[in-house]
Amino acid sequence: MTSILNADLHCHSVVSDGTLTPEALAERAASNGVELWALTDHDEIGGQARAAAAAKAVGMRYVTGVEISVTFLGKTVHIVGLGIDTDNADLREGLEQTRGGRRLRAQDMADGLAKVGIKGAFEGALQYVGNPDLISRTHFARHLVETGVCKETNEVFRKYLTEGKPGYVEHRWATLKDAVGWITGAGGMAVVAHPARYKFTPNEEFALFTEFKGHGGRGVEVVTGSHSAAEYVTYAATAQEFGLAASRGSDFHSPLESHTELGTLPYLPGGLTPVWELLATRIQ
Ligand code: AMP
Ligand code: MN
Ligand code: MN
Ligand code: MN
């Protein structure tokens, strides 16, 4: 398979912080010409069977997926797992652990918001949650937009939900080693999601990719909705430097909120090994 494939290997459903069902996403992806699709909900694989069945129903190839929250050098880093066996017990247990602290964290976030006069945010955010195990900052953002505190979700993150802001709560997610281990132990390929988002220094980023490879990680997102065109070039070079396969995914969450529509990003640049070449046996 070449790099010229409309693969979209990163997006979210109501099973995490997206607003569409796996079935609606599959239809939308197919109608946008996606040829190979993965649903990658945060810390959760509860939507995988539905996504795979929906992909089949619309004649689209599918590969299983997840996006695991990791704490690395004090920042939250996301590791996408592709081609995982969703019945793998260690993976399932690891994901359950990772999801575990979200409810308490959300209550702490609501307490922080209450201190600046925004009351009832926990209950408000819960109204947007499709999966009670997976309450996320995105659900708070939707509630604060809906109640007129902010105009759009981006503004909520900027003013309330990022480091140093009233609704931000420090949280320890999985370790890089564990997340990569769960994915590879389940027969999958670990991929660093949207690396430009972390704003690491060059040394920190070198440490991330070196340790990621050392633990058995094999890919990096090059073309993602979170990267600029210049960043495609930067991370294409990173893929080559570290001998990583390259991935492509919109990170689509919602028709109203997402800037990047399913299946509409540029193709991967040439000269890279696309992740789908290495995933061939895991494609359904
Ligand atoms: P959480 O896992 O609860 O920390 O929530 C992280 C999610 O928040 C990400 O997966 C994005 O969907 C969303 N997010 C993070 N930063 C922003 C932002 N600046 N604007 C909109 N959504 C964001
Ligand atoms: Mn998200
Ligand atoms: Mn992410
Ligand atoms: Mn994502």
Side-chain angles (χ1 to χ4, degrees):
M1 272 184 275
T2 73
S3 61
I4 309 300
L5 181 77
N6 192 347
D8 195 324
L9 305 179
H10 189 150
C11 69
H12 300 271
S13 77
V14 288
V15 171
S16 64
D17 62 347
T19 62
L20 300 184
T21 60
E23 290 78 13
L25 284 168
E27 280 180 25
R28 199 173 178 101
S31 66
N32 288 347
V34 172
E35 296 164 277
L36 174 66
W37 179 51
L39 171 67
T40 56
D41 278 310
H42 295 285
D43 308 324
E44 173 66 275
I45 50 179
Q48 292 303 307
R50 286 171 64 186
K56 195 169 177 188
V58 295
M60 185 168 56
R61 281 178 293 171
Y62 188 73
V63 62
T64 53
V66 67
E67 181 176 22
I68 305 183
S69 313
V70 158
T71 301
F72 184 79
L73 299 179
K75 286 186 175 166
T76 300
V77 166
H78 286 168
I79 303 296
V80 163
L82 297 173
I84 43 173
D85 168 7
T86 53
D87 291 327
N88 182 274
D90 287 344
L91 171 69
R92 297 183 75 92
E93 199 187 307
L95 293 177
E96 200 177 315
Q97 262 175 39
T98 308
R99 289 193 298 271
R102 278 186 179 269
R103 208 172 169 92
L104 281 177
R105 168 193 188 235
Q107 275 158 349
D108 291 346
M109 286 170 62
D111 290 347
L113 291 169
K115 286 191 184 124
V116 294
I118 300 167
K119 309 273 189 234
F122 182 75
E123 295 71 21
L126 270 186
Q127 291 184 293
Y128 297 89
V129 169
N131 170 2
D133 267 2
L134 214 120
I135 176 160
S136 97
R137 284 186 290 164
T138 313
H139 302 114
F140 280 85
R142 290 189 185 129
H143 168 64
L144 266 57
V145 169
E146 201 53 42
T147 52
V149 176
C150 290
K151 276 212 208 52
E152 48 161 26
T153 51
N154 222 344
E155 185 189 345
V156 186
F157 275 88
R158 196 159 32 83
K159 291 188 176 160
Y160 295 103
L161 300 180
T162 42
E163 225 177 312
K165 302 299 158 64
Y168 184 78
V169 171
E170 281 286 337
H171 192 76
R172 235 183 67 226
W173 301 106
T175 64
L176 182 65
K177 180 170 189 260
D178 282 348
V180 174
W182 298 330
I183 292 164
T184 53
M189 177 191 294
V191 176
V192 176
H194 44 62
R197 287 241 313 241
Y198 311 127
K199 310 284 180 222
F200 280 132
T201 64
N203 279 343
E204 289 171 334
E205 196 176 83
F206 185 84
L208 170 66
F209 284 108
T210 305
E211 291 188 33
F212 173 73
K213 264 221 96 164
H215 296 315
R218 296 177 66 197
V220 56
E221 285 185 349
V222 171
V223 175
T224 131
S226 300
H227 284 178
S228 65
E231 286 160 348
Y232 302 160
V233 178
T234 304
Y235 291 99
T238 303
Q240 281 171 324
E241 181 186 348
F242 287 89
L244 295 169
S247 193
R248 172 182 189 261
S250 58
D251 207 356
F252 181 81
H253 282 70
S254 154
L256 296 177
E257 295 161 17
S258 295
H259 309 294
T260 308
E261 183 52 73
L262 285 158
T264 62
L265 285 167
Y267 289 120
L268 278 184
L272 302 172
T273 303
V275 290
W276 45 89
E277 236 169 57
L278 308 181
L279 283 167
T281 61
R282 315 290 304 180
I283 294 174
Q284 305 179 22

